[in-house]
Every structure is written in C-alpha cells, then in structure tokens.
Amino acid sequence: MELMEKTVESRVLFEGKIITVRLDKAELPNGRVASREVVEHPGGVAVFAMDGQGRVALVRQFRYPLGEVTLELPAGKLEPGEDPRASGLRELAEETGLTPGTFLPLGSIASSPGILAERIHLFFARDLVQGEARPDDGEFVETLWVPYQDLLDMARRGEIQDGKTLAGILKASFLLEAPQT
C-alpha cells in the first residue's frame, strides 16, 4: 500500500520568529481528504560532550513552556541555511565554552513527527578544551558535569525528561558500549 499523503491546500495560521503554524488539507492514500496541523521549525542540534574523566556536560535551564528547570544536553536551533555540524559546534561553545577535538555525527531524530516538522541533529564530542561560555542574550544556563553511569541512572529514574537528551544518551551509548576492536 502506498502510504504517502499529498498536500492539496495549505494555509498559514501563524508566523512567529521561530515557528510557523499551518493548516493543510491532505489527500490520503484512499482518496479522502483530511486536515493536518503542522508546526514548522528550522530544526536543531544537541551535543553529547564527554570529558576525559567520563563525565558528560549537561545544561540546567528554565524552560518557559514547561514552567520548570530542565537538564539537557547542550543544544540549540539551526540558523537559516546553517550546516548542522557548524551549529552543533557553535551551540556547544556558546552554552558551555567547550571546543571538541573529536566531533562525530550520531544521526538525527524527528521530535514529534505527528505535528512538528523539526529534525534535531545529534553529535558526540570528545577531547574537549574548556573556554568561556557565551550564551545568547536572554539565555541563562548552568553547566553540570555528570558521570556517564550516573547519567544513565538519572535517565532510568526519569530525572531526565527532555527527548533530545534521552535520544542523545541512547545514541552515544552505542558508541561507548560497542566492543573495541
């Protein structure tokens, strides 16, 4: 069965600085037409940065939509036309002051593909050099260093709830726990 849906009509409901909200009409595989609500987002990056002692850099920050402080991997939004690798390096330096000697792609995730047109590109950083953090204006973050095993335990206990962070931990574990040849 062909599973593709074809957009037959699209209307912008809201256009903000970061997101655009659309209401589309889509032709379904059976020929019927259905409404689809779509939030467009330019995408983002998240970086699993591990130091030589096996600790992972996390940032604590207040997330207004949730009304709470979260623990997350250093992360941020892609700028228009920006390469995800360059964005990951920029965000890591801005939020934590870290510059990696090794920077490996871990793939990407679709954060909520039922409504959100956003991909988050994940990276693994090692051989870190500490510099001065330069958060964006209006961005307040605190860097925490968490031993890798403690981070896994925190994820198991539900202390980390951010989806990109959980995905980054999982993807990084594939590298860290792979048999060394």
Side-chain angles (χ1 to χ4, degrees), residues 42-43 77-83 87 90-91 136:
K77 178 177 70 71
L78 283 167
E79 298 301 327
E82 186 177 26
D83 174 66
S87 179
R90 175 180 52 77
E91 288 293 343
D136 290 332

Side-chain angles (χ1 to χ4, degrees), residues 128-173:
L128 306 171
V129 175
Q130 183 69 61
E132 187 176 335
R134 302 173 310 280
D136 290 332
D137 189 38
E139 182 177 43
F140 301 92
V141 297
E142 177 183 78
T143 302
L144 297 175
W145 288 97
V146 179
Y148 174 66
Q149 191 58 54
D150 291 353
L151 182 61
L152 293 177
D153 293 340
M154 291 169 72
R156 280 187 199 99
R157 290 190 304 263
E159 294 171 28
I160 306 231
Q161 296 184 355
D162 175 62
K164 69 184 173 304
T165 299
L166 292 168
I169 293 167
L170 176 66
K171 292 279 206 153
S173 75

